[in-house]
Amino acid sequence: MRVLLVEDDPVLASAVRDYLTRDGWAVDVAPTLAVARGCMPAPYVTVVLDLGLPDGSGLSLLPLFARQPEPPAVLVLTAQDRLSDRVRGLDAGADDYLVKPFDLPELSARLRAIVRRRAGRRTPTIERGAVTIDPAAREVSVNGRPVELTAREYALVVALAEAPERVFSRSQLEDTLYTFDGGVESNIVEVYVSRLRRKFGRAAIRTVRGIGYRWDAAGATGAEADA
Ligand code: CA
């Protein structure tokens, strides 16, 4: 899952980036409005948006985000004393806000709630047949047995399983896994898909010929012995 962090304070930005990366997010940081505009279009699930930026107010980006083919959810970061900013942000289309200074676990929890609402999910966990994903704990199990996953494997499973009817192209999955800074190795999606098939079952991820991949809940029956 990809998130754009628009924040000009480098210390705060790197703390947030490090924290969210451990949560399985691929984080791009934009320190100015101009850099944030240059990041579009990109498949961000959410944008974490500071308002006081060197080249203007973060609120001015909201119309641009709203015009994206799949508009990201926007969480606005506001200063303690700027109630009017919060009201204006929400009125202008922001989905949530957090008052600085904030705790990283709270930011992380709010992003999970945003993702859940976007997916139309009422429960905190993602249940797909034998597979249960608990985003708060970052735990995945098949038939109740925990599955060990790297941060990128986890991000890929969440993206696929959250939208099981959707076919993802290879480049869409690459976009889910990588930030602009991270070089994408060729065939990396195939490598991860094959690792996930070993952990969840060969039929857990269907290849849709000529288009890409989709999650198949019925096929996710657990780890396979090496053939
Ligand atoms: Ca700022």
Side-chain angles (χ1 to χ4, degrees):
M1 294 171 299
R2 195 128 162 225
V3 58
L4 177 63
L5 171 62
V6 187
E7 170 60 63
D8 60 319
D9 176 340
V11 175
L12 179 59
S14 73
V16 170
R17 186 188 54 214
D18 292 351
Y19 193 89
L20 294 182
T21 300
R22 281 195 293 274
D23 263 3
W25 289 92
V27 186
D28 286 316
V29 178
T32 62
L33 296 177
V35 172
R37 286 193 195 100
C39 291
M40 297 287 140
Y44 296 110
V45 176
T46 68
V47 177
V48 177
L49 182 63
D50 183 32
L51 297 187
L53 296 162
D55 48 351
S57 168
L59 288 181
S60 66
L61 292 170
L62 289 175
L64 171 65
F65 297 149
R67 284 198 302 275
Q68 300 305 304
E70 292 184 55
V74 180
L75 185 149
V76 164
L77 301 177
T78 68
Q80 184 75 52
D81 54 344
R82 299 295 298 272
L83 172 66
S84 59
D85 280 348
R86 274 177 261 163
V87 173
R88 277 195 302 158
L90 292 169
D91 279 344
D95 296 84
D96 198 1
Y97 69 86
L98 204 49
V99 175
K100 288 181 175 180
F102 55 86
D103 289 327
L104 292 169
E106 181 174 7
L107 173 64
S108 166
R110 281 174 185 262
L111 294 183
R112 283 193 297 275
I114 283 175
V115 170
R116 191 163 72 224
R117 287 198 295 272
R118 284 275 146 145
R121 227 180 336 114
R122 291 177 183 278
T123 57
T125 55
I126 304 169
E127 314 273 347
R128 298 283 180 259
V131 175
T132 300
I133 300 171
D134 180 353
R138 231 215 73 175
E139 284 172 1
V140 181
S141 61
V142 182
N143 289 318
R145 283 193 304 276
V147 181
E148 293 288 327
L149 297 171
T150 67
R152 281 185 178 143
E153 288 169 353
Y154 174 78
L156 196 56
V157 168
V158 170
L160 287 162
E162 186 82 275
E165 70 293 342
R166 176 170 169 185
V167 180
F168 290 85
S169 70
R170 199 171 76 170
S171 75
Q172 283 169 334
L173 292 177
E174 282 172 356
D175 284 341
T176 297
L177 294 174
Y178 287 92
T179 63
F180 287 124
D181 297 337
V184 178
E185 303 140 64
S186 65
N187 290 337
I188 198 71
V189 168
E190 284 84 347
V191 169
Y192 277 95
V193 163
S194 94
R195 283 189 200 169
L196 291 179
R197 281 174 172 156
R198 277 202 295 278
K199 293 184 177 185
F200 289 94
R202 187 158 304 278
I205 301 175
R206 300 276 181 192
T207 301
V208 181
R209 210 163 287 283
I211 306 175
Y213 302 96
R214 73 172 176 83
W215 187 256
D216 186 338
T221 52
E224 297 188 346
D226 282 332

